[in-house]
């Protein structure tokens, strides 16, 4: 599978995942012109995108959605709550309302919705599988629920939020209520919680960890790197930033699994989590 972050950060998110001829985007949180420019740099053709999956209605996830989906006539998979919260009016022909734990087949890939804790109407994350490689994209994670653990346990490739450094957030200029909104269990993961979570739940399957959704004010690329490097000697480590797209990664060039078991067991996804009212 091929995958990249076209943009990642608290100001805009857009992730690309492809298997053979089939490609999807998760979120379109930068404007269409930038999506097009960044795709062009990686040799990705917008018309190859078969579906767009939206995690939730916050602007950094939908900024470019309406223009992009209409320009290329791409169906948008979104929960009813996220759609309501977005206040967008997308053409009915392109709208696909999903449950937050829905499974959707897009050509040779299956996209699994993952309900999560976040201060939005009906948010979910997604992981994507071609039956062999599992790619998890976990951003805007309020807390480490069973669903998050489940995705990490079966991920070969994991894009995980490392949103803020606890000291920078604490000493920074954000008003108190905003600081609390970020760290109250409905906001984002700090660098250290992200690290502890990866160390607790990763398996030998995990071969590529990408940290993303860094805060502009409360985090630094170098801090994220320093936090994770000591624990990632056996896997590929990348940091996705707001400034530019990552390279277009190919799962085929990742190091082989350190386990002799070459048959990868597909674990059926079961929502072990009821989304709270
Ligand atoms: Zn976000
Ligand atoms: Zn959000």
């Amino acid at each position: 599978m091929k995958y990249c972050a076209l943009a990642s950060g608290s100001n805009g998110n857009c992730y690309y995942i492809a298997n053979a001829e089939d490609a999807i985007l998760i979120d379109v949180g930068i404007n269409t012109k930038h999506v097009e420019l960044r795709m062009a740099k990686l040799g990705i053709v917008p018309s190859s995108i078969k579906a767009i999956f939206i995690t939730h209605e916050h602007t950094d996830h939908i900024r470019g959605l309406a223009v992009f989906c209409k320009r290329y006539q791409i169906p948008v998979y979104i929960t009813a709550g996220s759609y309501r919260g977005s206040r967008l009016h997308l053409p009915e022909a392109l709208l696909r309302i999903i449950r937050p734990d829905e499974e959707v087949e897009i050509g040779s890939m299956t996209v699994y919705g993952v309900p999560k804790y976040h201060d939005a109407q009906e948010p979910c994350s997604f992981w994507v599988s071609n039956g062999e490689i599992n790619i998890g994209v976990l951003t805007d994670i309020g807390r480490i629920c069973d669903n998050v653990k489940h995705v990490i346990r079966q991920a070969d490739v994991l894009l995980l939020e490392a949103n803020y450094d606890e000291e920078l957030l604490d000493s920074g200029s954000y008003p108190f209520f905003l600081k609390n909104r970020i760290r109250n269990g409905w906001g984002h993961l700090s660098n250290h919680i992200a690290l502890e979570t990866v160390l607790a739940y990763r398996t030998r399957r995990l071969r590529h960890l990408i940290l993303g959704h860094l805060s502009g004010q409360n985090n630094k690329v170098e801090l994220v790197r320093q936090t994770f490097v000591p624990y990632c000697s056996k896997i590929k480590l990348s940091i996705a930033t707001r400034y530019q797209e990552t390279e277009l990664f190919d799962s085929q060039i990742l190091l082989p699994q350190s386990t002799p078991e070459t048959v990868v067991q597909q674990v059926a996804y079961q929502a072990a989590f009821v989304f709270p009212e």
Side-chain angles (χ1 to χ4, degrees):
M1 293 173 87
K2 294 197 173 153
Y3 53 96
C4 68
L6 291 166
S8 188
S10 52
N11 62 337
N13 294 275
C14 186
Y15 306 98
Y16 168 90
I17 299 176
N19 187 56
E21 302 305 305
D22 307 308
I24 64 160
L25 292 183
I26 296 177
D27 292 331
V28 188
I30 55 175
N31 67 41
T32 292
K33 190 177 137 206
H34 285 109
V35 177
E36 289 169 344
L37 281 170
R38 292 178 178 200
M39 279 184 168
K41 283 201 247 172
L42 297 171
I44 299 168
V45 184
S47 59
S48 68
I49 308 292
K50 303 275 179 9
I52 297 168
F53 288 81
I54 296 298
T55 59
H56 64 299
E57 69 272 22
H58 292 161
T59 316
D60 57 315
H61 299 265
I62 61 166
R63 187 178 285 112
L65 175 63
V67 172
F68 191 81
C69 77
K70 285 188 242 175
R71 181 168 299 171
Y72 298 101
Q73 291 295 300
I74 304 168
V76 176
Y77 294 78
I78 185 170
T79 65
S82 295
Y83 187 55
R84 204 169 46 239
S86 75
R87 296 167 187 257
L88 293 173
H89 296 283
L90 302 178
E92 231 169 83
L94 298 180
L95 189 60
R96 308 278 189 278
I97 297 292
I98 54 169
R99 298 187 319 270
D101 63 347
E102 189 121 358
E103 283 180 39
V104 181
E105 306 273 333
I106 302 293
S108 52
M109 292 186 287
T110 309
V111 183
Y112 299 82
V114 182
K116 66 182 172 187
Y117 285 89
H118 190 57
D119 58 356
Q121 301 268 339
E122 197 180 7
C124 58
S125 289
F126 297 100
W127 64 275
V128 183
S129 181
N130 67 353
E132 194 179 332
I133 301 284
N134 298 336
I135 301 179
V137 179
L138 298 175
T139 70
D140 303 76
I141 300 296
R143 65 189 91 164
I144 307 304
C145 63
D146 287 346
N147 290 356
V148 166
K149 297 173 191 172
H150 179 83
V151 173
I152 297 174
R153 284 193 187 108
Q154 59 180 345
D156 298 279
V157 175
L158 176 66
L159 186 136
L160 181 65
E161 158 171 274
N163 182 253
Y164 64 95
D165 172 78
E166 279 142 19
E167 276 176 40
L168 281 181
L169 178 66
D170 222 23
S171 61
S173 61
Y174 277 22
F176 190 67
F177 82 91
L178 195 52
K179 290 181 181 182
N180 276 346
R181 219 176 126 185
I182 291 168
R183 61 193 173 192
N184 69 356
W186 293 92
H188 297 280
L189 295 183
S190 72
N191 296 343
H192 283 110
I193 294 174
L195 174 65
E196 281 172 19
T197 305
V198 170
L199 296 183
Y201 301 108
R202 72 173 169 186
T203 66
R204 284 179 295 180
R205 286 190 74 135
L206 185 69
R207 280 166 285 159
H208 189 185
L209 175 65
I210 308 168
L211 286 323
H213 207 300
L214 275 62
S215 161
Q217 284 212 28
N218 303 314
N219 212 351
K220 293 194 166 73
V221 172
E222 208 33 55
L223 275 177
V224 176
R225 198 183 306 282
Q226 284 166 14
T227 305
F228 284 83
V229 157
Y231 303 93
C232 294
S233 57
K234 292 192 177 135
I235 63 170
K236 184 174 172 66
L237 176 67
S238 308
I239 301 175
T241 71
R242 59 188 56 217
Y243 309 109
Q244 59 182 31
E245 69 286 353
T246 63
E247 65 183 275
L248 183 55
F249 300 108
D250 187 338
S251 63
Q252 284 196 326
I253 61 155
L254 295 176
L255 296 170
Q257 287 167 272
S258 55
T259 153
E261 308 144 30
T262 48
V263 180
V264 176
Q265 290 286 327
Q266 270 306 113
V267 185
Y269 177 68
Q270 283 170 346
F273 170 68
V274 177
F275 197 77
E277 296 296 317

